[in-house]
Amino acid sequence: MKRSAAIGLLLCSMICSTAAGAHARAASMVFWYPGEAGSTEEAQPVLDDFLAYVGKKMGDVAITGRYYNTVDGGLKYIAQGKPAIGIVSFAALSQYGGEMGDPPVMLSTLPLPEGKPSERYALVGTKRELPPGARILSSEPLTLSYVRERLFPKLSADASVSSTTQLFSSLKKIASGEIDAFALLTPIEAKTLENLGSPWAKRLITVWRSESVPTAKVLLFDRSWKDAERLKEVLIGAGADPEAKELLQELRLKGFSALR
């Protein structure tokens, strides 16, 4: 009788364990950085590895995700895919927050190279002053109003801002005088340019440094999602976890921080 009871308990334990695994809670996440390099398909393996790490740390929560670097792609996924959470660039949040339903902010990212919750952009060119009607190129799709309100308050209203998918090719043309323009660089782009030893790169000077702006944010799209606090703990802890170091570097992050 004791043997039968033990077998019964073991079978019950196995069935309960299987059922718990089958009902592991699932959630989806969007990484949305308009203008960032790489396609959705190219970024997927890195994203999958990072989310596998997060899911393992959370235990019974399976998280899947998608990366988008276009405005339309990100907005469409948020509207149709209904992600529970997302990591969204501050520029996208500022310009399209209303279209996303103004989701609450959970955490700040700590991006490379500085690893701080705020950052400054650089405006570079071959001239030390911006002429009237200056043309500004950026890898990010930024509106003139955003650039003037958040980055460079003294930028004149007759300037123009347009995005380019070939930023460093444009930088070479600016340096050679082939095009009369300036380039607006993200912190990591500015650092890359600074480290280039090419003669053309040395002809470019930093005209302005922007005001400090917040970094990309972790957003809670589904306010009823019950695992938000657990996710926050895992993400904050990732920055000090050796297992996550390489994964974070692939995402150009040093980690995440609580809001201040």
Side-chain angles (χ1 to χ4, degrees):
M1 291 294 292
K2 290 182 179 179
R3 178 180 173 84
S4 297
I7 292 173
L9 287 171
L10 177 61
L11 287 172
C12 180
S13 175
M14 292 173 64
I15 291 170
C16 291
S17 176
T18 301
H23 291 88
R25 295 188 298 280
S28 62
M29 175 183 281
V30 61
F31 285 66
W32 186 29
Y33 285 77
E36 185 61 78
S39 66
T40 299
E41 293 71 25
E42 291 169 340
Q44 199 62 48
V46 175
L47 200 55
D48 288 343
D49 288 345
F50 176 70
L51 294 178
Y53 163 83
V54 172
K56 182 178 72 172
K57 292 294 183 180
M58 294 184 72
D60 59 349
V61 180
I63 301 180
T64 58
R66 297 284 280 173
Y67 162 82
Y68 292 94
N69 65 353
T70 64
V71 172
D72 291 343
L75 287 175
K76 183 177 180 180
Y77 182 77
I78 291 168
Q80 298 180 1
K82 304 295 183 183
I85 58 276
I87 299 180
V88 178
S89 74
F90 180 73
L93 175 61
S94 296
Q95 294 176 108
Y96 307 104
E99 295 180 52
M100 293 187 285
D102 293 319
V105 176
M106 296 169 58
L107 298 171
S108 294
T109 60
L110 302 175
L112 298 174
E114 296 294 334
K116 298 177 180 179
S118 63
E119 56 190 1
R120 299 176 70 188
Y121 284 59
L123 191 66
V124 303
T126 57
K127 304 171 185 175
R128 297 195 175 276
E129 296 291 336
L130 268 68
R135 179 188 177 193
I136 299 173
L137 303 176
S138 170
S139 61
E140 295 184 297
L142 304 175
T143 63
L144 176 61
S145 60
Y146 173 83
V147 174
R148 294 186 69 213
E149 290 170 10
R150 302 300 314 215
L151 301 178
F152 303 110
K154 62 181 181 180
L155 182 65
S156 63
D158 62 355
S160 67
V161 180
S162 57
S163 60
T164 174
T165 58
Q166 303 294 328
L167 180 67
F168 276 83
S169 176
S170 297
L171 282 169
K172 289 182 180 180
K173 293 178 180 179
I174 292 171
S176 68
E178 185 176 341
I179 58 175
D180 185 11
F182 296 81
L184 176 54
L185 307 183
T186 65
I188 200 160
E189 290 167 346
K191 190 67 174 180
T192 300
L193 179 63
E194 181 183 322
N195 291 335
L196 289 178
S198 305
W200 68 263
K202 294 179 179 179
R203 288 196 290 270
L204 295 171
I205 59 175
T206 299
V207 184
W208 289 342
R209 291 280 183 187
S210 77
E211 300 290 320
S212 291
V213 292
T215 56
K217 301 301 179 187
V218 181
L219 306 178
L220 181 62
F221 289 106
D222 182 357
R223 291 171 170 82
S224 66
W225 192 52
K226 297 180 179 180
D227 296 298
E229 289 303 316
R230 292 176 63 198
L231 176 67
K232 286 172 66 173
E233 292 176 5
V234 169
L235 293 182
I236 290 174
D241 186 353
E243 185 182 351
K245 184 176 180 180
E246 186 174 341
L247 294 171
L248 288 170
Q249 287 179 340
E250 291 280 358
L251 296 172
R252 296 184 178 179
L253 295 174
K254 285 191 175 182
F256 300 84
S257 70
L259 302 177
R260 297 175 181 175

